[in-house]
Amino acid sequence: MTGTEVPMNPSKTDEESVQADVAMLLRYGIGAQGPRRTALFGDGAVGAAVALDRLGVRPRSVAFLGRTVRSGGTGYTARLPELLPEPTASDLVRGWLDAAESVARPVEGDEVVARWLEAVAELIGLRRTTRERAAR
């Protein structure tokens, strides 16, 4: 490795993935390029997707949050009274958005947060599709 690459571990279990400190990855990955951003969209997005999927959150709910961040900003979205239908999931996401808001510059940072939420939504959808196909 050249020192700028992030080692990827494709064999992480859900238990290992869900242990990711998503708030920290957001704080360090939003304003950075390179390995920190890669970790945010890799381990951070996977960990968030596993956690939200376990709480029964639908991909479209997370994608909607991404669109809301893009329209109103990270701070605005974090202060919405009900982020997701499930209160436990809302509390979890609110913590992530609060961490992101602490470093997200308007427009640029908000766009990164929106894209990250959309990536999390896609991963939740992939998890659900894979489970459905395996159950057939």
Side-chain angles (χ1 to χ4, degrees):
M1 276 199 251
T2 65
T4 60
E5 299 168 9
V6 176
M8 301 295 277
N9 184 355
S11 62
K12 277 190 176 182
T13 65
D14 281 1
E15 281 308 312
E16 291 167 327
S17 294
V18 82
Q19 298 302 317
D21 187 342
V22 174
M24 184 214 43
L25 290 168
L26 282 160
R27 280 192 298 275
Y28 287 100
I30 289 173
Q33 295 293 327
R36 290 182 179 173
R37 178 75 55 85
T38 300
L40 171 60
F41 278 83
D43 290 343
V46 171
V50 171
L52 293 175
D53 187 36
R54 287 181 172 180
L55 293 172
V57 174
R58 294 178 183 255
R60 67 180 177 213
S61 297
V62 180
F64 178 77
L65 287 178
R67 290 189 300 276
T68 305
V69 166
R70 189 171 280 118
S71 297
T74 304
Y76 168 81
T77 305
R79 288 186 288 284
L80 291 173
E82 188 176 340
L83 294 172
L84 296 167
E86 164 61 39
T88 303
S90 285
D91 292 342
L92 183 61
V93 171
R94 190 175 320 283
W96 297 339
L97 290 175
D98 286 341
E101 180 188 16
S102 72
V103 296
R105 293 178 26 205
V107 183
E108 291 173 23
D110 292 335
E111 180 61 24
V112 174
V113 174
R115 285 190 300 111
W116 180 79
L117 286 165
E118 291 164 350
V120 171
E122 287 295 324
L123 290 169
I124 295 169
L126 286 170
R127 290 174 57 81
R128 288 177 173 233
T129 300
T130 301
R131 272 196 310 269
E132 289 169 5
R133 287 184 181 159
R136 292 183 196 163

